[in-house]
Amino acid sequence: MNVYISIDGVIRNFVNKFHYHYEQAYIDVENPSEEFEYKVTEPICNDNLLDHFSFQSKEEFEFFTYIEYPMELYGHAQLSYNGVVNHINKYIYENKDYNVTLIGLDEFGKSRPATLFFLSKNAIMCNNIKFIKSDDIA
């Protein structure tokens, strides 16, 4: 049996870390000459961050996420809840017949090595890790 577990939301609290660094980089910085208004639309209810965080372009969003802040966002994010690592590792250990795969959705550039750092520093025992685009999910 194949079991697929998303890293973001299940193991890693990516959205809170993104929110924190977005405010540090764009909102808490005084730049009165800037005509574009950076803002957060709450409540944040899904994983499409462009619906909730204002960027001047998709390229600016991708630069922030995958080039400028990937280690902070992906590597140093908090766990989703206390004990999640123990629950995942116990599930993997007790179900050796299952093929458990962790899925990183829409991770590009430097976010992939940052995710591998996150998984290793938290001692996740999973042998299978895949990075896929959400468009490729059938």
Side-chain angles (χ1 to χ4, degrees), residues 90-114:
K90 181 179 178 187
Y91 181 82
I92 292 169
Y93 182 77
E94 291 177 350
N95 297 288
K96 293 178 183 165
D97 295 340
Y98 293 2
N99 181 24
V100 178
T101 303
L102 299 180
I103 302 294
L105 281 177
D106 300 325
E107 294 191 25
F108 307 102
K110 296 178 181 179
S111 67
R112 289 179 179 187

Side-chain angles (χ1 to χ4, degrees), residues 65-103:
T65 307
Y66 305 121
I67 304 299
E68 192 173 27
Y69 282 91
M71 188 54 82
E72 292 85 351
L73 299 175
Y74 293 90
H76 295 293
Q78 293 86 13
L79 295 169
S80 290
Y81 63 92
N82 290 336
V84 67
V85 172
N86 291 336
H87 293 149
I88 294 288
N89 287 341
K90 181 179 178 187
Y91 181 82
I92 292 169
Y93 182 77
E94 291 177 350
N95 297 288
K96 293 178 183 165
D97 295 340
Y98 293 2
N99 181 24
V100 178
T101 303
L102 299 180
I103 302 294

Side-chain angles (χ1 to χ4, degrees), residues 6-8 11-12 14 66 70-77 102-122 124 129-131:
S6 176
I7 296 169
D8 287 332
I11 301 172
R12 175 174 55 197
F14 176 77
Y66 305 121
M71 188 54 82
E72 292 85 351
L73 299 175
Y74 293 90
H76 295 293
L102 299 180
I103 302 294
L105 281 177
D106 300 325
E107 294 191 25
F108 307 102
K110 296 178 181 179
S111 67
R112 289 179 179 187
T115 293
L116 295 174
F117 169 77
F118 171 83
L119 295 172
S120 68
K121 81 172 185 173
N122 288 297
I124 303 292
I129 302 161
K130 279 189 154 183
F131 296 101

